[in-house]
Amino acid sequence: MNIGQAAAASGVSAKMIRYYESIGLIPKTVRTESGYRVYSDHDVHTLRFIRRARDLGFSVDQIADLVSLWRDRERASKDVKAIALDHVNVLERKIRELQEMASTLKHLADHCCGDSRPHCPILEELASEEPLPVHPKPDARFGTLRKT
Amino acid sequence: MNIGQAAAASGVSAKMIRYYESIGLIPKTVRTESGYRVYSDHDVHTLRFIRRARDLGFSVDQIADLVSLWRDRERASKDVKAIALDHVNVLERKIRELQEMASTLKHLADHCCGDSRPHCPILEELASEEPLPVHPKPDARFGTLRKT
DNA sequence: TGTAATCCTTCCAATCATGGGAAGGTCAAG
DNA sequence: CTTGACCTTCCCATGATTGGAAGGATTACA
């Protein structure tokens, strides 16, 4: 299988496959006489594993750890779980950050008439010397996202 | 005022001030004879405006638009509001993506005992040929985030 | 068999916002 | 006058990904 076919079969672009090889996430493949990379079904399986981990937002470093645990039949599941929960924490922190931005911004936009006149609370707020008002109150709807 | 003082007063690092100047987000400043950049209170005010916009996650391009609207006394507030709401949409889309990842991952982690044995549903799922199960059901808790 | 289209290769560059650091000039305090 | 803290420019790195150029290989079709 050529790299293009492996890409189509795995959902990882040929560009990324070469990149993953270059950084050592996947081993160097066999080549044909003319230098073409050759992939097996097993390689494609690994690539699909990587793509799934990537779709869950894992970093390449974490994916490397996950792949190595996947290959290791003696692994402890707690090591896998630790990586996963670590990543959940990162995701949730990021989510809270973005929610805070969105909430503040929606609040500001709600108070802007959005017509053809120049008066605009959004700009006023950005230009203000006061600390940015951390959205009215951390809406209870988001409470379920807290880690507690 | 030197760049370091402007940085301290605005909360934008000296590095970033130079960068913003280089990309044209802020105009080139006056220099002393020896080449030091000189900043006025007005410049610092602009920098603070930029920092606030940045803290709300606006891109540099959007910030440039916001600054230009801020400067424009003839602006229409709807132009500002449009930028803000556009950005809210981007933020909310990103939030939903991250929530989907976190939710899927938490679900997987919940089913992993996390002990010293090798069996691990997280790895099994990543290695599976099935489509990633988009978390059990788009939990109603997140429904309020939908754009409708 | 010729040729054109479609692959593949490597290498380099760009993204986005930010930080690190080197080499060297400037300034203020002691 | 020296020392330390500032400033200058320039280059590099991040992370994951895409784009493209130049050139070789393979394939398909007439």
Side-chain angles (χ1 to χ4, degrees):
Chain A
M1 209 184 308
N2 281 341
I3 198 171
Q5 295 162 316
S10 67
V12 180
S13 73
K15 281 274 190 195
M16 289 311 296
I17 296 176
R18 293 193 197 96
Y19 172 69
Y20 289 153
E21 182 188 303
S22 81
I23 62 172
L25 177 56
I26 55 179
K28 295 193 177 166
T29 61
V30 181
R31 303 278 189 129
T32 65
E33 285 182 9
S34 55
Y36 283 21
R37 289 171 179 83
V38 175
Y39 296 89
S40 66
D41 286 351
H42 178 258
D43 295 328
V44 169
H45 194 199
T46 302
L47 286 170
R48 242 185 261 134
F49 180 100
I50 290 172
R51 195 178 73 84
R52 280 167 170 254
R54 195 195 58 183
D55 287 348
L56 287 173
F58 284 104
S59 70
V60 165
D61 276 359
Q62 285 173 315
I63 295 176
D65 291 344
L66 289 171
V67 169
S68 129
L69 287 166
W70 181 38
R71 299 253 171 271
D72 177 9
R73 296 198 188 166
E74 314 287 318
R75 71 189 163 239
S77 66
K78 65 165 174 266
D79 293 340
V80 183
K81 190 167 181 171
I83 296 176
L85 290 181
D86 246 34
H87 185 47
V88 168
N89 282 340
V90 170
L91 288 173
E92 292 189 335
R93 189 171 337 118
K94 191 71 192 170
I95 287 167
R96 282 192 301 271
E97 282 176 25
L98 297 181
Q99 277 173 342
E100 209 159 292
M101 293 177 188
S103 152
T104 301
L105 209 44
K106 270 193 292 192
H107 185 75
L108 290 176
D110 279 351
H111 291 71
C112 172
C113 342
D115 55 21
S116 56
R117 288 171 298 172
H119 171 72
C120 178
I122 302 171
L123 291 179
E124 270 173 25
E125 181 53 46
L126 289 173
S128 149
E129 305 288 325
E130 312 298 323
L132 265 176
V134 180
H135 57 111
K137 228 169 203 182
D139 193 326
R141 289 177 301 172
F142 303 146
T144 51
L145 285 171
R146 289 206 197 93
K147 267 225 56 206
T148 43
Chain B
M1 209 185 309
N2 281 341
I3 198 170
Q5 295 162 314
S10 67
V12 179
S13 72
K15 280 274 191 196
M16 289 312 296
I17 296 177
R18 293 193 197 97
Y19 171 69
Y20 290 154
E21 183 189 304
S22 81
I23 62 172
L25 178 57
I26 54 179
K28 295 193 174 165
T29 62
V30 180
R31 303 277 189 129
T32 65
E33 284 182 9
S34 55
Y36 283 23
R37 290 172 179 82
V38 177
Y39 296 89
S40 66
D41 286 350
H42 178 259
D43 294 328
V44 169
H45 193 199
T46 303
L47 285 169
R48 241 186 261 133
F49 179 99
I50 289 171
R51 196 180 73 83
R52 280 167 171 256
R54 195 196 57 182
D55 286 348
L56 288 173
F58 284 103
S59 70
V60 167
D61 275 359
Q62 285 175 315
I63 295 176
D65 291 344
L66 289 171
V67 170
S68 129
L69 286 166
W70 182 38
R71 299 254 171 271
D72 176 10
R73 295 198 190 166
E74 313 288 319
R75 71 186 163 244
S77 67
K78 65 165 174 265
D79 292 341
V80 182
K81 191 167 181 173
I83 295 176
L85 290 182
D86 244 33
H87 184 47
V88 168
N89 282 341
V90 169
L91 289 172
E92 293 190 334
R93 188 171 337 119
K94 192 71 192 169
I95 288 167
R96 282 192 301 272
E97 281 176 24
L98 297 181
Q99 277 174 341
E100 208 159 291
M101 292 178 187
S103 153
T104 302
L105 209 44
K106 271 195 291 193
H107 184 76
L108 289 176
D110 279 352
H111 290 73
C112 172
C113 342
D115 55 19
S116 57
R117 288 170 298 172
H119 171 73
C120 178
I122 302 172
L123 292 180
E124 271 172 24
E125 181 52 45
L126 289 173
S128 150
E129 304 288 325
E130 310 298 323
L132 264 176
V134 179
H135 55 114
K137 228 170 206 185
D139 193 327
R141 290 176 302 173
F142 302 147
T144 51
L145 285 171
R146 290 206 196 93
K147 269 220 55 201
T148 44

